[in-house]
Amino acid sequence: MAEPKREIASLDPVWDRITSEAERAIVEEPLIGGFVHACILHHKSIERALSYRISAKLASNEMSMVVVREIVEDAFAEDPSLVEAARADLVAVYERDPACHRLLQPILYFKGYQAVQAYRVAHHLWMKGRRDLAYFMQMRVSEIFGVDIHPGARLGKGIMIDHAHSIVIGETAVVGDNVSMLHSVTLGGTGKEEEDRHPKIGDGVLIGAGAKVLGNIRVGNCSRIAAGSVVLEEVPPCKTVAGIPARIVGEAGCDQPAVSMNQMFGPWKDPEG
């Protein structure tokens, strides 16, 4: 007599949840069935789904989807930390973006998430000395998503870029873990300097829409940069800066500004009177 089949516990509850959400999405909107199957349900893991999604977006007449997908899959196989970062970014978007109600959404629809994952592959290529291929990836990410992240820049895990329109991050920029930024943010230089010339953003920083952080300056952990600010000098940890040029207007207001996404602050009071 054959033994009854035993249920095997899921080895990847995140991927199980994504596929469950995908199946439910098709029930609710059958017209997207082919799209959701191609992007999610035809794959056995989150890395396979991401390799398909990235290659589908970045492929062109100059480089086929098959070739781009092979590049992405090789990168994931060679460096498992890329997939670890992709998962952390996915959770960051889900937890911080009020418009994100399912883990499925960033993979399918959110160009900020997709652009960051493509950047991570380009950075992997850059670090392996495959500079021209990395530049090609950067070019396509900029063309398709409107996000221009130099492959030499270093981004931590748990990155959330909301809306992700007109993002520019320079070659020697460093972005810590659990950073959130909104659209039209620039982490740039101040002129034609060479070598180390871009900002260093600490962990847990919140950068508001349209903010420009320029030069080789440090933005301390868990600080906030108000929308539209131009930051030219170092920002201490746990402070809020605002204005052109930016100056300290108060405390950060909480332990994790990038997680709370609270961009409101009270009127600034001049400490000298």
Side-chain angles (χ1 to χ4, degrees):
M1 183 176 183
E3 292 186 6
K5 292 183 180 180
R6 298 177 181 177
E7 289 190 9
I8 301 175
S10 172
L11 299 178
D12 190 348
V14 171
W15 180 241
D16 285 349
R17 176 170 170 177
I18 292 170
T19 56
S20 177
E21 291 175 351
E23 291 167 349
R24 193 179 322 123
I26 293 173
V27 171
E28 294 173 356
E29 182 49 82
L31 290 178
I32 65 168
F35 168 62
V36 174
H37 271 281
C39 294
I40 303 295
L41 297 177
H42 284 173
H43 309 289
K44 295 183 178 180
S45 65
I46 191 170
E47 52 264 46
R48 289 297 183 91
L50 282 173
S51 68
Y52 174 88
R53 196 75 186 107
I54 292 170
S55 59
K57 298 296 287 188
L58 300 190
S60 68
N61 291 333
E62 298 159 334
M63 189 173 291
S64 72
M65 182 175 171
V66 172
V67 174
V68 177
R69 189 172 184 183
E70 182 178 349
I71 292 167
V72 177
E73 290 185 347
D74 286 349
F76 286 165
E78 292 171 3
D79 188 356
S81 71
L82 296 176
V83 180
E84 179 185 348
R87 289 170 175 270
D89 296 341
L90 184 65
V91 172
V93 176
Y94 177 72
E95 290 182 344
R96 300 175 207 167
D97 186 348
C100 185
H101 308 293
R102 296 168 294 170
L103 290 174
L104 177 73
Q105 287 174 267
I107 299 175
L108 291 184
Y109 307 122
F110 290 9
K111 71 174 185 174
Y113 177 78
Q114 296 167 8
V116 170
Q117 306 324 307
Y119 145 78
R120 294 194 186 282
V121 174
H123 180 70
H124 170 80
L125 296 168
W126 183 267
M127 297 304 293
K128 287 180 66 73
R130 303 179 71 180
R131 300 293 171 92
D132 283 315
L133 192 52
Y135 279 132
F136 180 87
M137 295 285 287
Q138 177 193 8
M139 175 189 73
R140 291 297 293 153
V141 171
S142 180
E143 290 173 347
I144 298 301
F145 299 116
V147 174
D148 195 351
I149 307 176
H150 192 286
R154 290 183 286 150
L155 273 60
K157 296 181 292 186
I159 303 298
M160 196 276 281
I161 305 180
D162 195 14
H163 300 294
H165 181 72
S166 298
I167 298 291
V168 176
I169 300 179
E171 178 182 7
T172 60
V174 177
V175 177
D177 295 333
N178 299 315
V179 170
S180 296
M181 65 182 76
L182 285 88
H183 55 282
S184 300
V185 164
T186 297
L187 306 181
T190 57
K192 295 184 68 175
E193 314 97 325
E194 296 184 2
E195 304 198 6
D196 199 352
R197 60 194 184 278
H198 295 110
K200 311 296 179 280
I201 308 298
D203 297 339
V205 173
L206 172 60
I207 308 177
K212 317 300 178 188
V213 187
L214 306 177
N216 184 12
I217 58 175
R218 172 77 183 177
V219 175
N221 294 345
C222 299
S223 57
R224 295 192 302 175
I225 299 172
S229 298
V230 177
V231 183
L232 301 173
E233 297 180 351
E234 181 171 334
V235 178
C238 303
K239 299 294 183 183
T240 295
V241 298
I244 303 174
R247 59 193 302 186
I248 296 173
V249 298
E251 301 298 320
C254 64
D255 292 336
Q256 294 290 329
V259 175
S260 71
M261 296 295 291
N262 182 3
Q263 300 180 68
M264 302 299 292
F265 57 92
W268 179 71
K269 295 181 180 180
D270 191 332
E272 297 182 359

